[in-house]
């Protein structure tokens, strides 16, 4: 409604409602009744007195004879308001409400609004509770918890709960003895879809398995689409729900993806399946709900997703200037709508047009009113700065920056964002460098941000990281310096606050939702797994499998302040570009305080080793290294060694261990630096079966020819104990090429032993892209059968192409063939192929998520498996039949295969994961049935077994590699202090 025609009608309505007793027909443009005759003369009071007395008397008389007279004379009822004004008044009431704010739930809360009638009450006895109270420092031991009505009814002694009058509340209760087990609030996942609370998850919109028919994460119809809603694309059949619950996830914020500057509205869900089995029945405290046949606004928080930087730039061909303009233009529309609505509501009964509404921009007007939690995918300083400026320009608070890899470099900038408190920061622990925006990401970011007073949230970005292992993210940031309380807060209390649900979830409090997790060990211990997850008081895991953990796994990790101070200072001083090379290299070392020694005599370079001293459990053994070779291990005389005149570096491992060096495979470490930047890698190899040129037909790419050294992922892997990396050429073809093995610490490819094996194995991939699996196996059959020469070949060309020669070597067992595939049916076809035409061939499966289905046949035919990823996830159709591991199955995939006599190694998928190679082996050790692996056998999964499965074929006389760990390498908190690599002629690098 424009101003030039609105004033006069408003005046008319106002005059009709409030006629003036002094106005006349000449003074007003409002027609008056014809009988109306204004009186201008006033009588004096004495002249009216007799009449008034007579009137009072008459009324008294009438009251005595029970007559009723209405006085003053009846007026016509006011005309009803137009319906559009009545509807507008309702909207005015909504927009004029204060910002959502709720008092924390208390013991007076009788029932959860999501309570399911008939749910049995649960009495958890003798638990160790991490409550989230007192900043996350409160721990209650030997405490009972009563779950009733979908809420935490009582927390206290068994006597208190035994006296609770349950007969009025539904009768009997299920009693469960915890035996001191740890209990925490459930986790909250922000993907940007998840008590654990995941605040960044795409679960339900980026479904598992991912198919064209269920991929609803992003709309690419426009960069600004605030009107979209994740609820409308939420898939209730996502296989990830139960897996996430098995990791302790009880709430998730499901956001649209990050392709758009404004991707749409988000909604909080709980992942438990409901009787109704609909998306709306999984919502928790929604901002909108069906009420008496209408879609009604509640007074709960709304949520919206924004994204800046590279994603919109890549999808829409924008610059960052375009991106910022998108936001300003959109918020100008939102502010314009807000101002119109406020003007309308300032005088609703004078309006001649309906309440101003806009399907497209109403949510942004609500953002400016402070009713919407704004979550922003934003990495770099330049983008963070732009959004902070925009938040001040349009005066709206930011709930959280997500990904936010550079926030640790600019904490003061975040404090400038508009609103009463700065945004929270939702980050990964070690996932970085996959794009330019993430290149300066630091494992120390969480500690730096927390020390600056900012709230840190760990997120999954499910399925980028499987939200089931959100706890691992919290464990990693604790490993890198964040204290215990803040680490656990980062997946419970802090995301609950960021989502606006901390009045009912995120704490173990009386009256809060009965969302909690019972753990088999202290949650920040590596391999900690739920025994049971409760959502709304309902146990979610049917017949959970529990592996008893050792006593030490129940203990709270010791805080070691200042452990990473030097590294943190360097990360800040270099603005995210620290020197990752060794601080010092030596040839003579004495390791003191050694608790475990996992090298064989051959690996240690010693004929005999008396390792009995390592079995004492005292952690006080000694290992001596002279001129780069171990000369003594066990009960060695330090004094005698020091008297020899050599300059020894003395390293105290504090009960730690010495292990063989580790091997990484499965990513493009060694030929690629930043995945999304083509110029930082070798590029894609050609397809030897589809090229037309005579020169290129039948040739095979050699990854060694595109070797790259000095990258961050290589150096971080080396600092973490990886001494050998194996990589095949990057390609979209099904024949990748020859892989090579290299030393990740080397400066360039011409250094001594920088290239360990220039040609290890031929790598191929079997899927149905470009052509069918059956067509590719037909080609394999021809190549492996030895009948691939053309009949007309000349005598000079009898050996055929490089491709033909390679497969001839494979058929004879001289060259290993590594096949990337996951599907059991494809693996079964490969087994038949080997039996039929190439029984001597050495074949390795890389991936193998469904390989357990044919485990016996794999063992019978001597086909090994490199499991990648290590923690199985049904992300694709070919990986949907997984072994999920505890608490859903007794075995992990590696332990199941090993128990069926299959040779197993562990691999990765992305370059950043190389640094975590050891911890994947440690997770398998902690999560597998007792007795399947010794510690050394678990280490072989990333060492000795991979040498065989990748065809590394160590040359005689080659130096061994080892890693010296301070603390237990099978637990978070241990760290690498020195590495003896394979590329430095006997030097030992110290960190």
């Amino acid at each position: 409604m424009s101003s030039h025609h609105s004033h006069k009608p408003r005046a008319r309505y106002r005059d009709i409602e409030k006629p003036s007793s002094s106005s006349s027909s000449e003074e007003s443009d409002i027609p008056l009744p014809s009988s109306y005759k204004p009186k201008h003369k006033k009588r004096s009071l004495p002249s009216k007195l007799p009449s008034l007395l007579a009137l009072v008397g008459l009324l008294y008389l009438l009251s005595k004879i029970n007559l009723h007279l209405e006085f003053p004379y009846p007026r016509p009822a006011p005309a009803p308001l137009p319906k559009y004004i009545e509807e507008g008044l309702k909207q005015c009431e909504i927009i004029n409400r204060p910002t959502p704010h709720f008092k924390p739930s208390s013991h007076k809360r009788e029932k959860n609004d999501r309570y399911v009638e008939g749910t049995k009450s649960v009495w958890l006895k003798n638990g160790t509770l991490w409550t989230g109270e007192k900043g996350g420092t409160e721990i209650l031991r030997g405490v009972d918890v009563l779950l009733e009505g979908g809420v935490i009814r009582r927390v206290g002694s068994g006597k208190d709960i035994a006296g609770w009058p349950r007969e009025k509340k539904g009768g009997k209760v299920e009693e469960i003895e915890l035996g001191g087990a740890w209990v925490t609030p459930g986790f909250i996942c922000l993907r940007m879809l998840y008590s654990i609370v995941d605040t960044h998850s795409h679960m339900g919109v980026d479904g598992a398995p991912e198919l064209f028919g269920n991929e609803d994460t992003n709309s690419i119809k426009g960069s600004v689409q605030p009107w979209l809603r994740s609820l409308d694309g939420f898939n209730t059949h996502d296989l990830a729900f139960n897996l996430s619950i098995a990791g302790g996830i009880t709430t998730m914020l499901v956001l649209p993806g990050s392709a758009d500057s404004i991707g749409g509205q988000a909604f909080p869900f709980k992942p438990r399946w409901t009787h109704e089995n609909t998306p709306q029945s999984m919502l928790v405290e929604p901002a909108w709900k069906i009420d008496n046949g209408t879609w009604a606004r509640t007074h709960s928080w709304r949520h919206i997703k924004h994204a800046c930087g590279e994603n919109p730039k890549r999808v829409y061909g924008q610059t960052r200037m375009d991106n910022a303009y998108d936001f300003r233009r959109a918020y100008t529309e939102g502010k314009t709508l807000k101002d119109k609505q406020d003007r309308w509501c300032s005088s609703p009964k004078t309006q001649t047009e309906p309440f101003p509404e806009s399907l497209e921009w109403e949510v942004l007007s609500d953002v400016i009113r402070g009713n919407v939690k704004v979550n922003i995918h934003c990495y770099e300083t330049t983008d963070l700065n732009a959004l902070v400026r925009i938040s001040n320009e349009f005066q709206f608070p930011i709930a959280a920056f997500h990904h936010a890899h550079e926030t640790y470099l600019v904490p003061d900038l975040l404090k400038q964002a508009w609103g009463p408190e700065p945004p929270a920061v939702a980050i990964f622990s070690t996932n970085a460098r996959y794009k330019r925006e993430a290149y300066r990401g630091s494992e120390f970011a969480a500690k730096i941000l927390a020390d600056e007073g900012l709230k840190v949230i760990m997120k999954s970005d499910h399925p980028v990281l499987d939200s089931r292992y959100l706890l691992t993210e919290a464990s990693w940031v604790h490993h890198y310096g964040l204290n215990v309380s803040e680490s656990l807060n980062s997946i419970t209390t802090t995301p609950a606050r960021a989502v606006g649900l901390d009045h009912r979830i995120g704490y173990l409090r009386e009256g809060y939702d009965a969302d909690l997790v019972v753990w088999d060990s202290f949650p920040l211990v590596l391999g900690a797994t739920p025994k049971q997850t409760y959502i709304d008081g309902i146990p979610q895991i049917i017949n959970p499998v529990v592996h008893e953990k050792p006593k030490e796994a129940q203990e709270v990790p010791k805080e070691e302040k200042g452990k990473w101070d030097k590294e943190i200072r360097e990360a800040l001083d270099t603005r995210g570009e620290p020197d990752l090379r060794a601080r010092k290299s030596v040839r003579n070392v004495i390791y003191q305080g050694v608790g475990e020694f996992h090298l064989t005599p051959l690996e240690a370079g010693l004929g005999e080793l008396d390792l009995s001293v390592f079995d004492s459990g005292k952690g006080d053994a000694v290992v001596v290294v002279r001129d780069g070779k171990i000369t003594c291990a066990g009960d060695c005389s330090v004094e005698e060694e020091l008297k020899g005149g050599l300059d020894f570096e003395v390293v105290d491992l504090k009960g730690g261990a010495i292990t063989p060096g580790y091997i990484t495979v499965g990513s493009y470490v060694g030929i690629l630096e930043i995945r999304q930047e083509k110029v930082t890698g070798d590029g894609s190899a050609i397809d030897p079966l589809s090229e037309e040129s005579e020169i290129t037909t039948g040739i095979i790419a050699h990854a060694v020819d595109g070797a790259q050294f000095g990258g961050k992922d290589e150096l971080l892997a080396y600092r973490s104990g990886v001494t050998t990396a194996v990589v095949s050429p990057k390609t979209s073809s099904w024949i990748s090429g020859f892989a090579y093995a290299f030393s990740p610490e080397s400066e360039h490819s011409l250094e001594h032993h920088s290239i360990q094996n220039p040609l290890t194995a031929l790598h191929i991939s079997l899927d149905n892209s470009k052509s069918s699996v059956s067509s590719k196996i037909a080609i394999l059959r021809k190549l492996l059968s030895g009948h691939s020469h053309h009949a007309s070949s000349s005598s000079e060309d009898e050996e055929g192409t490089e491709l033909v020669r390679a497969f001839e070597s494979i058929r004879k067992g001289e060259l290993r063939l590594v096949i990337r595939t996951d599907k059991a049916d494809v693996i079964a076809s490969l087994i038949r192929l080997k039996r039929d035409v190439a029984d001597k061939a050495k074949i390795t499966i890389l991936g193998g998520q469904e390989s357990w289905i044919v485990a016996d046949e794999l063992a019978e035919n001597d086909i090994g498996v490199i499991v990648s990823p290590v923690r199985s996830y049904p992300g694709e159709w070919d990986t949907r039949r997984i072994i999920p591991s505890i608490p859903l199955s007794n075995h992990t995939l590696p332990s199941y295969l090993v128990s069926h006599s299959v040779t197993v190694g562990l691999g990765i998928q992305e370059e950043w994961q190389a640094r975590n190679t050891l911890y994947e082996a440690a997770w398998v050790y902690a999560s597998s049935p007792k007795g399947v692996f010794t510690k050394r056998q678990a280490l072989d999964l990333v060492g000795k077994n991979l040498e065989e499965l990748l065809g590394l074929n160590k040359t005689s006389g080659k130096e061994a590699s080892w890693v010296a760990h301070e603390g237990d390498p099978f637990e978070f908190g241990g760290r690498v202090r020195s590495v003896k690599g394979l590329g430095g002629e006997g030097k030992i690098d110290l960190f």
Side-chain angles (χ1 to χ4, degrees):
M1 182 170 64
S2 60
S3 59
H4 68 273
H5 66 273
S6 62
H7 297 303
K8 198 168 184 179
R10 287 181 180 174
R12 286 176 177 171
Y13 275 105
R14 189 158 46 245
D15 288 345
I16 288 172
E17 291 177 358
K18 297 181 180 180
S20 171
S21 61
S22 63
S23 62
S24 68
S25 59
E26 290 79 19
E27 296 170 338
S28 173
D29 60 354
I30 301 174
L32 298 175
S34 58
S35 60
Y36 179 78
K37 294 180 180 180
K39 306 290 185 179
H40 297 286
K41 295 182 180 180
K42 296 183 179 180
R43 294 180 181 179
S44 62
L45 181 60
S47 66
K48 294 182 179 180
L49 187 56
S51 299
L52 289 173
L53 292 173
L55 181 59
V56 171
L58 177 62
L59 290 173
Y60 177 76
L61 180 61
L62 290 173
S63 68
K64 291 297 183 180
I65 59 174
N66 295 319
L67 294 176
H68 299 283
L69 181 65
E70 192 172 10
F71 182 82
Y73 295 108
R75 292 184 177 181
L81 293 171
K83 187 171 180 60
Y84 72 86
I85 290 182
E86 290 181 351
E87 293 298 324
L89 286 169
K90 295 177 183 178
Q91 295 303 314
C92 291
E93 181 183 348
I94 291 174
I95 67 171
N96 286 320
R97 290 187 302 201
T99 298
H101 177 74
F102 307 96
K103 292 182 179 179
S105 300
S106 71
H107 67 280
K108 296 179 180 180
R109 186 184 180 204
E110 288 292 325
K111 189 178 290 187
N112 185 341
D113 57 322
R114 292 173 45 85
Y115 172 67
V116 177
E117 291 294 336
T119 299
K120 186 183 292 185
S121 299
V122 177
W123 181 358
L124 302 174
K125 297 183 172 183
N126 187 27
T128 304
L129 275 58
W130 182 88
T131 66
E133 303 284 11
K134 299 180 180 179
T137 63
E138 181 178 76
I139 295 174
L140 305 178
R141 300 181 184 274
V143 174
D144 292 9
V145 181
L146 177 64
L147 311 180
E148 184 179 83
V151 302
I152 299 172
R153 177 65 58 214
R154 285 285 184 270
V155 177
S157 68
K159 183 179 179 180
D160 292 337
I161 293 177
W164 177 246
R166 283 183 302 280
E167 61 277 0
K168 297 180 181 178
K169 307 291 182 180
K172 294 183 179 180
V173 60
E174 181 181 4
E175 300 180 12
I176 300 175
E177 173 59 43
L178 299 182
W182 284 91
V183 183
T184 70
F187 297 165
I188 304 170
C189 175
L190 305 180
R191 184 210 169 178
M192 266 193 169
L193 274 176
Y194 272 81
S195 237
I196 297 174
V197 182
D198 193 342
T199 52
H200 185 133
S201 177
H202 301 292
M203 189 179 298
V205 293
D206 195 350
E210 182 177 334
L211 299 168
F212 172 78
N214 68 1
E215 208 296 304
D216 287 294
T217 312
N218 287 294
S219 169
I220 54 172
K221 291 188 174 181
S223 180
V224 174
Q225 302 184 85
W227 48 87
L228 301 182
R229 305 179 300 188
S230 66
L231 175 65
D232 297 325
F234 189 81
N235 173 20
T236 58
H237 301 287
D238 193 333
L239 295 181
F241 289 134
N242 281 348
L243 294 173
S244 293
I245 288 169
I249 300 294
T250 58
T251 305
M252 54 197 186
L253 180 64
V254 179
L255 296 118
S258 307
D260 306 330
S261 299
I262 301 180
Q265 299 166 53
F267 291 79
F269 292 81
K270 291 192 180 184
R272 74 168 175 85
W273 288 348
T274 65
H275 177 72
E276 184 182 319
N277 196 27
T278 61
Q280 68 185 25
S281 64
M282 298 173 70
L283 290 169
V284 52
E285 207 163 280
W288 300 83
K289 67 179 182 179
I290 295 176
D291 185 21
N292 293 325
T294 63
W295 184 238
R297 176 78 168 94
T298 70
H299 197 198
S300 298
W301 284 103
R302 302 175 71 180
H303 307 268
I304 196 166
K305 170 70 177 299
H306 293 352
C308 56
E310 186 274 335
N311 280 28
K313 177 182 175 70
R314 170 168 42 89
V315 175
Y316 295 101
Q318 295 182 328
T319 67
R320 283 177 162 80
M321 295 180 288
D322 294 316
N323 189 220
Y325 170 72
D326 271 349
F327 285 115
R328 299 183 70 219
R329 175 173 59 86
Y331 272 100
T332 297
E333 295 282 359
K335 187 176 185 304
T336 299
L337 177 62
K338 174 185 177 296
D339 292 344
K340 287 181 179 180
Q341 292 174 340
D342 289 344
R343 285 195 298 270
W344 197 99
C345 291
S346 67
S347 182
K349 295 181 181 179
T350 67
Q351 304 301 325
T352 60
E353 295 182 5
F355 178 80
E357 294 185 286
S358 167
L359 181 63
E360 290 79 11
W361 308 114
E362 64 84 20
V363 67
L364 297 186
S365 71
D366 223 13
V367 170
I368 298 171
R369 295 185 198 281
N371 297 321
V372 186
K373 296 282 188 179
V374 180
N375 290 274
I376 306 178
H377 161 117
C378 206
Y379 285 78
E380 285 191 282
T381 300
T382 182
D383 300 314
L384 295 164
N385 200 175
L387 267 296
V388 167
R389 291 196 303 271
I390 290 168
S391 79
N392 281 279
E393 180 179 355
F394 293 95
Q395 297 190 343
F396 64 88
I398 299 170
F401 281 118
H402 293 248
H403 297 297
H405 279 62
E406 291 193 9
T407 49
Y408 74 99
L409 297 173
V410 288
D412 290 336
L413 171 63
L414 271 61
K415 297 172 186 178
Q416 296 174 26
W418 193 89
E421 60 183 54
V425 184
I427 57 176
F428 294 127
S429 58
T430 59
N431 185 359
R433 297 168 299 284
Y434 48 87
K435 55 170 33 175
R436 193 190 74 90
E437 295 175 329
Y439 195 64
R440 294 172 184 83
S442 173
E443 62 270 46
F444 307 114
K447 177 171 173 53
I448 294 169
L449 290 164
D451 287 348
E452 288 287 340
L454 296 166
K455 296 298 183 183
V456 177
I457 297 170
M458 303 316 298
K459 66 179 178 64
S460 71
D461 196 17
H462 179 96
V464 171
L465 299 183
D466 183 353
S467 62
R468 179 180 180 183
Y469 299 106
L470 185 62
L471 178 62
T472 302
E473 292 295 286
S475 300
W476 271 120
V477 292
H478 175 59
H479 172 82
Y480 287 113
L482 193 63
N483 63 40
V484 167
S485 57
E486 288 295 337
S487 298
L488 288 174
N489 284 341
S490 73
I491 51 176
T492 53
T493 61
T494 304
R497 178 177 175 81
V499 178
L501 292 172
D502 56 321
H503 58 281
R504 62 183 292 172
I505 64 173
Y507 296 85
L508 292 183
R509 286 176 177 168
E510 292 181 355
Y512 271 54
D513 289 12
D515 298 348
L516 49 84
V517 188
V518 180
W519 297 92
D520 65 2
S521 50
F522 183 73
L524 296 180
V525 169
L526 194 148
T529 304
K531 290 183 173 183
Q532 186 57 268
T533 300
Y534 294 88
I535 301 179
D536 302 321
I538 305 171
Q540 296 296 300
I541 305 173
I542 301 172
N543 299 323
V545 177
V546 177
H547 292 170
E548 292 302 319
K549 299 292 178 69
K551 183 179 179 181
E552 53 269 25
Q554 310 301 326
E555 299 172 359
V556 180
K558 295 179 181 178
E559 303 285 0
E560 294 187 34
K561 294 181 180 179
K563 184 177 180 183
W564 300 96
D565 282 357
K566 177 182 176 293
E567 290 83 355
I568 290 171
R569 189 70 263 157
E570 188 175 4
L572 291 172
D573 289 345
T574 61
R575 301 175 68 191
E577 298 278 9
D579 186 351
L580 298 174
R581 294 171 297 181
R583 65 176 177 84
K584 188 177 183 180
S585 296
V586 297
R587 299 184 67 84
N588 304 304
V589 183
I590 295 176
Y591 297 107
Q592 294 181 316
V594 184
E596 297 177 0
F597 190 82
H598 293 290
L599 302 180
T600 66
L602 180 61
E603 291 166 337
L606 296 175
E608 295 183 6
L609 278 175
D610 180 10
L611 303 180
S612 60
V613 67
F614 294 102
D615 299 327
S616 67
K618 295 180 180 180
D620 59 355
V622 174
V623 173
V624 179
V625 180
R626 281 174 171 264
D627 197 25
K629 297 182 183 297
I630 296 175
T631 58
C632 180
D635 189 10
C636 309
S637 174
V638 175
E639 291 78 11
E640 289 299 318
E641 295 290 347
L642 293 175
K643 287 179 182 177
L646 291 176
D647 185 14
F648 281 92
E649 188 80 20
V650 179
V651 179
D652 184 3
L653 297 186
K654 301 178 181 178
I658 293 181
T659 70
Y662 314 125
I663 300 171
T664 183
V665 65
S667 75
Y668 295 121
V669 162
I671 58 171
L672 177 65
E673 180 73 353
I674 304 174
R675 280 213 169 199
Q676 288 194 10
E677 298 290 344
K678 184 178 179 180
V679 297
T680 69
D682 178 45
S684 292
I686 65 170
D687 182 349
L689 296 178
S690 64
E691 294 289 337
E692 297 295 331
S693 167
E694 290 184 6
I695 296 175
T696 58
T697 297
I699 69 170
I700 301 177
H702 294 233
V704 68
D705 295 329
Q708 294 186 177
F709 288 85
K712 286 188 176 182
D713 286 308
E714 289 90 341
L715 293 175
L716 283 167
Y718 182 66
R719 292 173 70 95
S720 302
V722 174
T723 57
T724 298
V726 177
V727 60
S728 62
K730 183 177 182 294
T731 182
S732 58
S733 168
W734 71 287
I735 294 184
S736 174
F738 291 121
Y740 83 107
F742 68 97
S743 300
E745 77 273 26
S746 297
E747 293 281 348
H748 54 79
S749 62
L750 300 180
E751 278 191 356
H752 176 73
H753 281 324
S754 60
I755 306 297
Q756 297 174 13
N757 294 90
L759 191 156
T760 61
L762 179 63
H763 286 237
I764 70 173
S765 176
L766 280 183
D767 57 30
N768 61 3
S769 62
K770 293 189 176 182
S771 58
S772 68
V773 172
S774 56
S775 298
K776 293 170 182 175
I777 290 180
I779 295 171
L780 282 178
R781 182 178 293 109
K782 181 177 181 180
L783 289 168
L784 288 173
S785 66
H787 302 301
S788 51
H789 298 294
H790 293 293
S792 60
S793 294
S794 65
S795 58
E796 300 101 34
D797 195 34
E798 265 187 30
E799 290 187 4
T801 65
E802 185 178 23
L803 181 67
V804 170
R805 294 194 299 272
F807 274 95
E808 179 66 17
S809 295
I810 291 170
R811 186 174 69 86
K812 294 177 180 179
E814 300 168 351
L815 177 69
R816 184 166 286 270
L817 179 64
V818 178
I819 305 174
R820 186 184 292 269
T821 189
D822 289 295
K823 194 173 184 178
D825 305 288
V826 175
I827 296 172
S829 295
L830 290 170
I831 292 172
R832 291 198 307 272
L833 180 64
K834 184 177 188 297
R835 286 174 177 172
D836 293 345
V837 301
D839 61 320
K840 294 181 180 179
K842 297 177 180 178
I843 296 176
T844 297
I845 303 298
L846 175 59
Q849 294 298 293
E850 292 189 353
S851 60
W852 64 275
I853 297 173
V854 289
D856 291 332
E857 291 78 7
L858 285 168
E860 180 183 341
N861 290 274
D862 194 25
I863 298 176
V865 178
I866 300 174
V867 176
S868 173
V870 176
R871 310 181 193 207
S872 297
Y873 176 72
E876 299 176 358
W877 185 256
D878 289 356
T879 64
R880 69 191 188 282
R881 297 176 291 182
I882 65 168
I883 292 181
S885 79
I886 58 171
L888 301 179
S889 67
N890 185 44
H891 274 287
T892 61
L893 175 56
S895 68
Y896 185 89
L897 292 172
V898 166
S899 67
H900 285 71
S901 302
V902 178
T903 302
V904 175
L906 305 182
I908 62 174
Q909 293 180 302
E910 296 185 45
E911 294 70 48
W912 65 270
Q913 296 171 316
R915 68 180 301 169
N916 298 335
T917 295
L918 167 63
Y919 289 93
E920 291 303 308
W923 177 83
V924 170
Y925 176 77
S927 302
S928 299
K930 188 175 182 180
V932 176
F933 298 107
T934 64
K935 284 188 175 182
R936 173 57 206 238
Q937 288 169 335
L939 293 171
D940 286 344
L941 296 173
V942 292
K944 183 179 177 182
N945 292 8
L946 286 177
E947 290 180 6
E948 176 186 345
L949 293 172
L950 294 170
L952 298 189
N953 303 323
K954 281 195 171 183
T955 57
S956 59
K958 193 172 185 179
E959 295 179 349
S961 66
W962 69 76
V963 186
H965 301 263
E966 178 186 301
D968 188 352
F970 282 77
E971 187 49 77
F972 289 120
R975 66 179 292 186
V976 172
R977 282 300 185 188
S978 78
V979 179
K980 164 62 169 59
L982 293 169
E985 296 185 326
K987 68 181 178 67
I988 294 96
D989 293 314
L990 304 178
F991 299 103

